[in-house]
């Protein structure tokens, strides 16, 4: 077990349904293996329903909600994808404010696949170099981001460090880079 994230608590924001399970579980495991404490944050208490693409997968216990938590409790944020997950989160003002709070506080954020939709709603991608699932390219460009098609992109040209990746196939590089940047 590594110690890069020893003493750090990392928020994982996920909707009650629709999170791509592997985009939650692999970064979660990477944070734990680096000595960090991952915490699942959602818009409601109880459990979230993970998905393997369009099929229901496992349930995960929620640690806290956006109603009672803010970025001050955490050292960084991971945003897993899945189509339905960020699509729901971007319609929830408290979830959007939760994400924006990490950027305002200069804390590192890592997002994969469709997760940048929530960041677009938070108006935090303008001027940032990012990647995502290809169908978000136009949305990100329209929001002022510099979208590129790369396995993992680290952008330090803003108030915080932002790590983005395109898809589950990029998880190895995403997890490695996210842990490095969440460590500071």
């Amino acid at each position: 077990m590594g110690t890069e994230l020893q003493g750090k608590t990392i928020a994982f924001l996920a909707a009650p349904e629709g999170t791509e399970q592997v985009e939650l579980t692999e970064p979660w495991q990477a944070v734990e293996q680096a000595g960090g404490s991952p915490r699942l944050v959602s818009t409601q208490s109880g459990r979230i329903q993970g998905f393997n693409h369009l099929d229901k997968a496992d349930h995960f216990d929620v640690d806290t909600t956006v109603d009672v938590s803010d970025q001050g409790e955490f050292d960084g944020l991971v945003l897993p994808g899945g189509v339905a997950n960020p699509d729901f989160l971007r319609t929830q003002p408290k979830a959007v404010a939760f994400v924006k709070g990490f950027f305002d506080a200069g804390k590192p954020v890592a997002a994969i696949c469709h997760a940048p939709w929530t960041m677009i709603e938070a108006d935090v991608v303008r001027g940032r170099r990012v990647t995502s699932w290809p169908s978000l390219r136009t949305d990100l460009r329209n929001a002022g981001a510099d979208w590129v098609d790369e396995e993992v992109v680290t952008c330090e040209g803003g108030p915080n460090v932002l790590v983005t990746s395109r898809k589950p196939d990029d998880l190895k590089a995403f997890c490695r880079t996210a842990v490095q940047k969440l460590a500071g």
Side-chain angles (χ1 to χ4, degrees):
M1 179 181 260
T3 59
E4 303 97 319
L5 294 176
Q6 191 70 41
K8 293 191 182 273
T9 303
I10 307 301
F12 282 71
L13 179 62
E17 282 196 14
T19 299
E20 185 67 34
Q21 183 163 309
V22 71
E23 294 174 359
L24 170 67
T25 58
E26 286 196 23
W28 186 283
Q29 184 178 25
V31 166
E32 285 183 326
Q33 288 176 346
S37 298
R39 294 192 27 126
L40 185 56
V41 181
S42 191
T43 56
Q44 37 183 279
S45 60
R47 299 185 328 164
I48 68 161
Q49 172 72 62
F51 276 73
N52 291 326
H53 302 293
L54 299 176
D55 298 322
K56 288 184 177 181
D58 298 324
H59 288 94
F60 300 91
D61 292 330
V62 172
D63 294 308
T64 188
T65 66
V66 294
D67 291 336
V68 298
S69 291
D70 63 35
Q71 57 74 29
E73 301 172 45
F74 304 99
D75 298 294
L77 172 65
V78 174
L79 296 169
V83 177
N85 174 45
D87 192 47
F88 174 81
L89 291 174
R90 68 184 175 162
T91 68
Q92 304 299 305
K94 288 183 180 180
V96 172
F98 184 80
V99 170
K100 186 170 181 357
F102 283 86
F103 287 81
D104 291 346
K107 294 184 178 185
V109 174
I112 187 167
C113 201
H114 289 78
W117 265 340
T118 310
M119 297 188 313
I120 290 168
E121 194 65 31
D123 194 24
V124 295
V125 297
R126 189 171 317 282
R128 305 303 297 267
R129 187 170 184 266
V130 300
T131 194
S132 68
W133 185 256
S135 66
L136 275 66
R137 175 183 56 233
T138 300
D139 295 342
L140 284 159
R141 286 181 175 160
N142 287 342
D146 174 19
W147 188 89
V148 295
D149 183 12
E150 295 177 12
E151 182 179 52
V152 65
V153 173
T154 300
C155 178
E156 297 182 9
N160 67 334
V161 175
L162 175 59
V163 176
T164 52
S165 280
R166 303 170 299 191
K167 57 189 172 185
D169 290 347
D170 299 337
L171 275 164
K172 186 174 183 176
F174 176 73
C175 291
R176 180 180 60 249
T177 305
V179 165
Q180 289 170 353
K181 298 306 177 179
L182 290 166

